[in-house]
Amino acid sequence: MIVIVKLGGAAITNKKGVCEYSACLDPLLDQVRQAYCDLQAQGHQLILVHGAGSFGHPQAKKYQLKEGWRTSQPGADYLKGFSHIRACVQQLNTTIITQLEQRGVPVLNITPLDYLHARHGQDTPTERFEALVERTSQYLQLGFVPVLHGDAVLDDMRGCTILSGDVILYHLSKWLPVARCVFLTDVEGIYKADPKLKMVPQSFEILSHISVKDTVEVSTSFTVADVTGGIQGKIQWAKRMVSDCQVDVMICRWGTKEALDMMTLQNTFTDKMTRFSLF
Amino acid sequence: MIVIVKLGGAAITNKKGVCEYSACLDPLLDQVRQAYCDLQAQGHQLILVHGAGSFGHPQAKKYQLKEGWRTSQPGADYLKGFSHIRACVQQLNTTIITQLEQRGVPVLNITPLDYLHARHGQDTPTERFEALVERTSQYLQLGFVPVLHGDAVLDDMRGCTILSGDVILYHLSKWLPVARCVFLTDVEGIYKADPKLKMVPQSFEILSHISVKDTVEVSTSFTVADVTGGIQGKIQWAKRMVSDCQVDVMICRWGTKEALDMMTLQNTFTDKMTRFSLF
């Protein structure tokens, strides 16, 4: 069975800065290594997808890269912006790849820009992801751990756009025999209200279970740049993964027992995490 | 017109070390930026291809990656070796991409592993390079400076192999309207004998002109690991580029007037560089 672990931008970077790593990157990657070893011992496979956090969102916002250059020829500012965001994301990816490889996890990165050409951002049809999925599957068969990420890509209608790691997760789940997608983040799950809004009582309560039929409206404080839809976007893609791809989806805080249990296909669900299901 | 500049592994890294940058990387990249600005002002285009130097050769040798795993399933040592060399090359590439982007050169990297599947190493037929060449051409048309590099790739017959940046240069020259290929290295050109063999008188003389019909035998000291054929391999590919692709090929020391002149399509040939020609 295949487990996809999404390393959220909020967990691996400091989203309040620009191109700053999370102070907790080391123990987080230690836990990912542990999960890989456990899965491998059981004959299961692992795919990693990471977000861009402060190596992507502020840059995308500054240069309006999600909307794209919308002309056949990008101006000097777009050339600079696209080259800049690619260099930033590559820095983050290189760090993650290198640190996991040094921990003995046989990672190989797959750069979305190199494999897919988007059509109007998130509306990009599934068949456009075919080459990306095929390469992922090939690396898995050889015994590697494929590492993908949210990326700036070329786009038919916009010139360029930003594809969230969550969208990539969805298409991988649609095509591959994925059993579970685990989102590792810096909070325990989805709160009834944004925990940064400390005066709201529900901001301390976690929604431990969300059915795809539930309407979830979480008020958010939007204190950091997020060009991929923030928590509402995440909920929407998690629900689509559950209903369209028949995979388990859960959100956990990295470093917890819940995170390791979920990554290693245990079913020890608790109320310190959020689990999505069909009913 | 298109100019391809090869940033040699000996110029950008310390080939005597392992994963060590050249102490001269900054001024070298300053000169590349200067060449880009001059070319752009004249309406010409630039492609960069870099070697792997100490971020690739020692690793390839250690894990025998050029010969490949030769089976359908790589063993644990190959998984580790392939993942390791990819991480090392990506570190070097990320540094070059980032430093050029910070200098205002709109670079976009193209990872050979993502675009081509080799067949028996250097025997890989030209059509296998089609996707790589197409993407290079697309980036040029958009106004970017494509950056490629020697890489560890998958191979039909060997499982994996090492493709030298020189081989990639050859195939780019074969398909694209390239006017000139300039090899930037840490010596002034090809010496009659290896300049590291200081007791041999010819080791101080540069071959300023090599015709494709000339038989050039350069004695070398082989003091550093080079899995891509060393200076003899370089001469062979340079000759093939001149005769098969009708491009000018020259080897210069980075930082010299010769290097800038050659990169910017001047014809001020001197005896402090090596030029390859048909006759």
Side-chain angles (χ1 to χ4, degrees):
Chain A
M1 283 194 281
I2 300 171
V3 176
I4 306 184
V5 174
K6 165 82 190 286
L7 310 175
I12 58 176
T13 78
N14 171 15
K15 287 192 85 169
K16 288 178 186 157
V18 175
C19 288
E20 284 180 25
Y21 293 100
S22 159
C24 308
L25 189 58
D26 267 338
L28 183 151
L29 295 180
D30 284 341
Q31 195 181 38
V32 171
R33 186 199 65 84
Q34 182 63 52
Y36 164 73
C37 294
D38 289 5
L39 284 171
Q40 203 208 12
Q42 297 169 56
H44 300 309
Q45 293 173 315
L46 176 66
I47 298 171
L48 298 172
V49 180
H50 67 79
S54 72
F55 289 77
H57 294 275
Q59 298 81 357
K61 207 172 168 183
K62 181 177 175 188
Y63 292 99
Q64 297 179 287
L65 294 170
K66 192 169 184 185
E67 295 71 28
W69 47 72
R70 290 173 181 273
T71 49
S72 61
Q73 211 59 24
D77 207 49
Y78 272 119
L79 287 177
K80 183 179 159 61
F82 197 77
S83 175
H84 180 58
I85 197 170
R86 285 287 311 134
C88 294
V89 170
Q90 191 177 326
Q91 277 173 56
L92 175 62
N93 178 255
T94 302
T95 299
I96 289 170
I97 286 282
T98 303
Q99 298 207 1
L100 284 169
E101 177 266 315
Q102 285 170 354
R103 283 167 170 81
V105 183
V107 287
L108 274 189
N109 76 305
I110 294 176
T111 304
L113 168 65
D114 291 332
Y115 291 91
L116 67 86
H117 195 113
R119 191 168 79 202
H120 216 29
Q122 293 188 2
D123 296 343
T124 305
T126 299
E127 60 267 25
R128 294 268 181 122
F129 290 81
E130 193 175 346
L132 189 83
V133 174
E134 267 182 15
R135 181 51 72 109
T136 306
S137 176
Q138 183 181 24
Y139 283 171
L140 284 177
Q141 281 166 34
L142 288 170
F144 292 105
V145 174
V147 180
L148 302 95
H149 55 79
D151 206 1
V153 297
L154 298 183
D155 188 287
D156 284 348
M157 298 170 78
R158 305 182 188 189
C160 74
T161 193
I162 302 295
L163 268 191
S164 151
D166 298 344
V167 176
I168 291 163
L169 224 64
Y170 172 81
H171 292 283
L172 289 173
S173 302
K174 203 149 184 188
W175 289 49
L176 295 173
V178 176
R180 184 176 283 186
C181 290
V182 183
F183 288 78
L184 285 194
T185 186
D186 61 339
V187 290
E188 287 180 345
I190 293 180
Y191 289 77
K192 290 188 181 167
D194 187 326
K196 281 147 198 153
L197 300 169
K198 293 205 173 70
M199 299 306 289
V200 182
Q202 296 95 322
S203 67
F204 301 103
E205 286 175 58
I206 292 167
L207 291 159
S208 62
H209 178 232
I210 295 175
S211 154
V212 293
K213 293 173 298 180
D214 292 341
T215 306
V216 184
E217 285 195 24
V218 181
S219 53
T220 53
S221 53
F222 288 114
T223 51
V224 293
D226 193 321
V227 295
T228 56
I231 196 69
Q232 291 296 354
K234 215 163 276 301
I235 293 171
Q236 176 213 342
W237 283 104
K239 283 184 171 183
R240 289 187 61 183
M241 271 181 253
V242 172
S243 49
D244 299 356
C245 318
Q246 287 82 49
V247 295
D248 286 346
V249 176
M250 34 275 290
I251 301 181
C252 304
R253 188 182 189 286
W254 72 268
T256 58
K257 184 177 181 302
E258 282 79 3
L260 188 61
D261 281 357
M262 292 306 109
M263 288 194 281
T264 55
L265 289 167
Q266 306 302 308
N267 289 319
T268 52
F269 311 126
T270 77
D271 57 2
K272 290 189 168 176
M273 53 175 277
T274 297
R275 181 166 63 99
F276 290 81
S277 68
L278 263 182
F279 302 103
Chain B
M1 285 195 279
I2 300 171
V3 176
I4 306 184
V5 174
K6 166 80 190 286
L7 310 175
I12 58 175
T13 78
N14 172 14
K15 287 191 86 170
K16 289 178 185 157
V18 175
C19 288
E20 284 180 25
Y21 293 101
S22 158
C24 308
L25 189 58
D26 268 337
L28 184 150
L29 296 180
D30 284 341
Q31 195 182 38
V32 171
R33 185 199 65 83
Q34 182 64 52
Y36 164 73
C37 293
D38 290 3
L39 284 172
Q40 203 207 12
Q42 298 168 56
H44 300 309
Q45 294 174 313
L46 176 66
I47 298 171
L48 298 172
V49 179
H50 67 80
S54 72
F55 290 78
H57 293 275
Q59 298 80 358
K61 205 171 170 184
K62 180 176 176 187
Y63 292 100
Q64 297 178 288
L65 293 171
K66 191 168 185 183
E67 296 72 28
W69 47 72
R70 291 174 180 271
T71 50
S72 61
Q73 210 59 25
D77 207 48
Y78 272 119
L79 287 177
K80 183 179 159 60
F82 198 78
S83 176
H84 180 56
I85 197 170
R86 285 287 311 135
C88 294
V89 170
Q90 191 176 326
Q91 278 173 56
L92 175 61
N93 179 255
T94 302
T95 298
I96 288 169
I97 286 284
T98 303
Q99 297 207 2
L100 284 169
E101 177 266 315
Q102 285 170 354
R103 284 167 168 81
V105 184
V107 288
L108 273 188
N109 76 305
I110 294 176
T111 304
L113 168 65
D114 291 333
Y115 292 91
L116 67 88
H117 197 112
R119 191 169 77 203
H120 217 29
Q122 293 188 3
D123 297 341
T124 304
T126 299
E127 62 265 26
R128 293 270 180 120
F129 289 80
E130 192 175 348
L132 189 84
V133 174
E134 267 183 13
R135 180 51 73 108
T136 305
S137 176
Q138 183 181 26
Y139 283 172
L140 283 177
Q141 281 166 33
L142 288 169
F144 291 105
V145 174
V147 180
L148 301 95
H149 55 80
D151 206 2
V153 298
L154 299 183
D155 188 288
D156 284 350
M157 297 170 78
R158 305 182 187 189
C160 74
T161 193
I162 302 296
L163 267 191
S164 151
D166 298 344
V167 177
I168 290 162
L169 223 63
Y170 172 81
H171 291 284
L172 288 174
S173 302
K174 203 150 184 186
W175 289 49
L176 295 174
V178 176
R180 186 177 282 185
C181 290
V182 183
F183 289 78
L184 286 193
T185 185
D186 62 338
V187 290
E188 287 181 345
I190 293 182
Y191 290 76
K192 291 188 180 166
D194 188 326
K196 280 147 198 152
L197 301 169
K198 294 205 172 72
M199 299 306 289
V200 182
Q202 296 95 323
S203 69
F204 301 102
E205 285 176 59
I206 292 167
L207 291 159
S208 62
H209 179 232
I210 296 175
S211 153
V212 294
K213 293 173 298 182
D214 294 341
T215 306
V216 184
E217 284 195 26
V218 181
S219 53
T220 53
S221 54
F222 287 115
T223 51
V224 293
D226 193 320
V227 295
T228 58
I231 196 70
Q232 290 296 354
K234 214 163 277 301
I235 291 171
Q236 176 213 340
W237 284 103
K239 283 184 172 184
R240 288 187 62 184
M241 270 181 254
V242 171
S243 50
D244 299 358
C245 318
Q246 288 81 49
V247 294
D248 287 347
V249 176
M250 34 275 291
I251 302 182
C252 304
R253 188 183 190 285
W254 72 269
T256 58
K257 183 176 182 302
E258 282 80 3
L260 188 61
D261 281 357
M262 292 306 110
M263 287 194 281
T264 55
L265 289 167
Q266 306 303 307
N267 289 320
T268 52
F269 311 126
T270 77
D271 58 2
K272 290 189 169 177
M273 52 174 279
T274 297
R275 181 167 63 98
F276 291 81
S277 67
L278 263 182
F279 301 104

